mmCIF file of all heavy atoms in Angstrom:
data_model
loop_
_atom_site.group_PDB
_atom_site.id
_atom_site.type_symbol
_atom_site.label_atom_id
_atom_site.label_comp_id
_atom_site.label_asym_id
_atom_site.label_seq_id
_atom_site.Cartn_x
_atom_site.Cartn_y
_atom_site.Cartn_z
ATOM 1 N N MET A 1 20.164 14.547 -9.171
ATOM 2 C CA MET A 1 20.517 13.507 -8.206
ATOM 3 C C MET A 1 22.024 13.361 -8.013
ATOM 4 O O MET A 1 22.493 13.243 -6.885
ATOM 5 C CB MET A 1 19.893 12.179 -8.632
ATOM 6 C CG MET A 1 20.181 11.048 -7.661
ATOM 7 S SD MET A 1 19.524 11.340 -6.003
ATOM 8 C CE MET A 1 17.781 10.999 -6.302
ATOM 9 N N ARG A 3 24.254 15.605 -8.056
ATOM 10 C CA ARG A 3 24.700 16.706 -7.209
ATOM 11 C C ARG A 3 24.347 16.438 -5.743
ATOM 12 O O ARG A 3 25.128 16.705 -4.838
ATOM 13 C CB ARG A 3 24.055 18.011 -7.672
ATOM 14 C CG ARG A 3 24.519 19.231 -6.903
ATOM 15 C CD ARG A 3 23.869 20.497 -7.441
ATOM 16 N NE ARG A 3 24.236 20.719 -8.836
ATOM 17 C CZ ARG A 3 23.755 21.729 -9.568
ATOM 18 N NH1 ARG A 3 22.888 22.574 -9.033
ATOM 19 N NH2 ARG A 3 24.134 21.870 -10.823
ATOM 20 N N LYS A 6 26.752 13.823 -4.416
ATOM 21 C CA LYS A 6 28.069 14.408 -4.188
ATOM 22 C C LYS A 6 28.083 15.232 -2.911
ATOM 23 O O LYS A 6 29.034 15.178 -2.129
ATOM 24 C CB LYS A 6 28.463 15.281 -5.386
ATOM 25 C CG LYS A 6 29.874 15.840 -5.285
ATOM 26 C CD LYS A 6 30.238 16.612 -6.536
ATOM 27 C CE LYS A 6 31.659 17.164 -6.442
ATOM 28 N NZ LYS A 6 32.025 17.921 -7.682
ATOM 29 N N ALA A 51 -8.179 -12.745 -8.713
ATOM 30 C CA ALA A 51 -9.132 -13.782 -8.317
ATOM 31 C C ALA A 51 -8.562 -15.183 -8.524
ATOM 32 O O ALA A 51 -9.289 -16.173 -8.425
ATOM 33 C CB ALA A 51 -10.431 -13.621 -9.109
ATOM 34 N N ALA A 59 1.579 -13.734 -6.730
ATOM 35 C CA ALA A 59 2.826 -14.388 -6.330
ATOM 36 C C ALA A 59 3.808 -14.414 -7.502
ATOM 37 O O ALA A 59 5.009 -14.176 -7.330
ATOM 38 C CB ALA A 59 2.551 -15.798 -5.832
ATOM 39 N N GLN A 71 18.676 -9.202 -10.223
ATOM 40 C CA GLN A 71 19.457 -9.270 -11.454
ATOM 41 C C GLN A 71 19.945 -7.883 -11.862
ATOM 42 O O GLN A 71 20.995 -7.750 -12.491
ATOM 43 C CB GLN A 71 18.619 -9.876 -12.578
ATOM 44 C CG GLN A 71 18.380 -11.372 -12.454
ATOM 45 C CD GLN A 71 19.635 -12.200 -12.636
ATOM 46 O OE1 GLN A 71 20.166 -12.766 -11.699
ATOM 47 N NE2 GLN A 71 20.113 -12.265 -13.851
ATOM 48 N N ILE A 94 -0.049 -11.244 4.127
ATOM 49 C CA ILE A 94 -0.906 -11.903 5.113
ATOM 50 C C ILE A 94 -2.213 -11.138 5.216
ATOM 51 O O ILE A 94 -2.213 -9.915 5.379
ATOM 52 C CB ILE A 94 -0.228 -11.950 6.501
ATOM 53 C CG1 ILE A 94 1.132 -12.658 6.407
ATOM 54 C CG2 ILE A 94 -1.119 -12.659 7.518
ATOM 55 C CD1 ILE A 94 1.951 -12.581 7.686
ATOM 56 N N HIS A 95 -3.337 -11.840 5.117
ATOM 57 C CA HIS A 95 -4.657 -11.226 5.289
ATOM 58 C C HIS A 95 -5.161 -11.515 6.698
ATOM 59 O O HIS A 95 -5.248 -12.676 7.099
ATOM 60 C CB HIS A 95 -5.647 -11.781 4.263
ATOM 61 C CG HIS A 95 -5.381 -11.310 2.873
ATOM 62 N ND1 HIS A 95 -6.153 -11.685 1.790
ATOM 63 C CD2 HIS A 95 -4.428 -10.486 2.373
ATOM 64 C CE1 HIS A 95 -5.698 -11.102 0.700
ATOM 65 N NE2 HIS A 95 -4.644 -10.390 1.024
ATOM 66 N N ARG A 132 12.725 -23.964 -25.482
ATOM 67 C CA ARG A 132 11.428 -23.449 -25.928
ATOM 68 C C ARG A 132 10.728 -22.629 -24.864
ATOM 69 O O ARG A 132 9.951 -21.733 -25.166
ATOM 70 C CB ARG A 132 10.538 -24.612 -26.364
ATOM 71 C CG ARG A 132 10.957 -25.244 -27.690
ATOM 72 C CD ARG A 132 10.054 -26.389 -28.070
ATOM 73 N NE ARG A 132 10.129 -27.485 -27.103
ATOM 74 C CZ ARG A 132 9.391 -28.583 -27.171
ATOM 75 N NH1 ARG A 132 8.513 -28.724 -28.152
ATOM 76 N NH2 ARG A 132 9.531 -29.534 -26.277
ATOM 77 N N PRO A 139 15.544 -17.332 -14.111
ATOM 78 C CA PRO A 139 16.374 -17.828 -13.017
ATOM 79 C C PRO A 139 17.184 -16.712 -12.352
ATOM 80 O O PRO A 139 17.608 -15.752 -12.999
ATOM 81 C CB PRO A 139 17.312 -18.807 -13.739
ATOM 82 C CG PRO A 139 17.507 -18.178 -15.087
ATOM 83 C CD PRO A 139 16.224 -17.444 -15.412
ATOM 84 N N PHE A 142 22.255 -17.268 -6.467
ATOM 85 C CA PHE A 142 23.000 -16.602 -5.392
ATOM 86 C C PHE A 142 24.107 -17.531 -4.895
ATOM 87 O O PHE A 142 23.853 -18.710 -4.615
ATOM 88 C CB PHE A 142 22.082 -16.253 -4.218
ATOM 89 C CG PHE A 142 20.975 -15.300 -4.555
ATOM 90 C CD1 PHE A 142 19.796 -15.758 -5.126
ATOM 91 C CD2 PHE A 142 21.102 -13.943 -4.295
ATOM 92 C CE1 PHE A 142 18.757 -14.882 -5.428
ATOM 93 C CE2 PHE A 142 20.069 -13.060 -4.607
ATOM 94 C CZ PHE A 142 18.897 -13.531 -5.164
ATOM 95 N N SER A 147 31.659 -19.674 -1.232
ATOM 96 C CA SER A 147 31.505 -20.381 -2.510
ATOM 97 C C SER A 147 31.133 -21.847 -2.344
ATOM 98 O O SER A 147 31.327 -22.645 -3.253
ATOM 99 C CB SER A 147 32.803 -20.270 -3.346
ATOM 100 O OG SER A 147 33.096 -18.929 -3.654
ATOM 101 N N ILE A 164 12.244 -28.321 -16.448
ATOM 102 C CA ILE A 164 13.475 -27.557 -16.273
ATOM 103 C C ILE A 164 14.607 -28.501 -15.870
ATOM 104 O O ILE A 164 14.453 -29.312 -14.958
ATOM 105 C CB ILE A 164 13.298 -26.471 -15.203
ATOM 106 C CG1 ILE A 164 12.209 -25.482 -15.640
ATOM 107 C CG2 ILE A 164 14.611 -25.731 -14.954
ATOM 108 C CD1 ILE A 164 11.789 -24.539 -14.543
ATOM 109 N N LEU A 166 18.732 -28.411 -14.743
ATOM 110 C CA LEU A 166 19.819 -27.542 -14.312
ATOM 111 C C LEU A 166 21.138 -28.005 -14.916
ATOM 112 O O LEU A 166 21.483 -29.191 -14.831
ATOM 113 C CB LEU A 166 19.942 -27.551 -12.790
ATOM 114 C CG LEU A 166 18.793 -26.937 -12.000
ATOM 115 C CD1 LEU A 166 19.043 -27.106 -10.502
ATOM 116 C CD2 LEU A 166 18.615 -25.476 -12.345
ATOM 117 N N PHE A 172 30.430 -26.580 -9.061
ATOM 118 C CA PHE A 172 29.126 -27.217 -8.867
ATOM 119 C C PHE A 172 28.766 -28.175 -10.009
ATOM 120 O O PHE A 172 27.725 -28.827 -9.965
ATOM 121 C CB PHE A 172 28.034 -26.161 -8.714
ATOM 122 C CG PHE A 172 28.151 -25.361 -7.446
ATOM 123 C CD1 PHE A 172 28.693 -24.088 -7.462
ATOM 124 C CD2 PHE A 172 27.749 -25.901 -6.232
ATOM 125 C CE1 PHE A 172 28.813 -23.352 -6.298
ATOM 126 C CE2 PHE A 172 27.867 -25.178 -5.062
ATOM 127 C CZ PHE A 172 28.408 -23.898 -5.083
ATOM 128 N N ALA A 194 14.648 -34.329 -3.051
ATOM 129 C CA ALA A 194 15.885 -33.731 -3.549
ATOM 130 C C ALA A 194 16.165 -34.168 -4.976
ATOM 131 O O ALA A 194 15.849 -35.291 -5.376
ATOM 132 C CB ALA A 194 17.046 -34.108 -2.649
ATOM 133 N N SER A 206 7.640 -31.045 -13.399
ATOM 134 C CA SER A 206 6.969 -29.868 -13.940
ATOM 135 C C SER A 206 7.375 -28.616 -13.173
ATOM 136 O O SER A 206 7.490 -28.624 -11.966
ATOM 137 C CB SER A 206 5.462 -30.044 -13.848
ATOM 138 O OG SER A 206 5.056 -30.237 -12.510
#
Side-chain angles (χ1 to χ4, degrees):
M1 182 61 76
R3 183 178 298 177
K6 185 176 181 180
Q71 287 292 108
I94 303 172
H95 289 180
R132 287 180 297 177
F142 298 83
S147 298
I164 298 169
L166 293 177
F172 292 101
S206 59

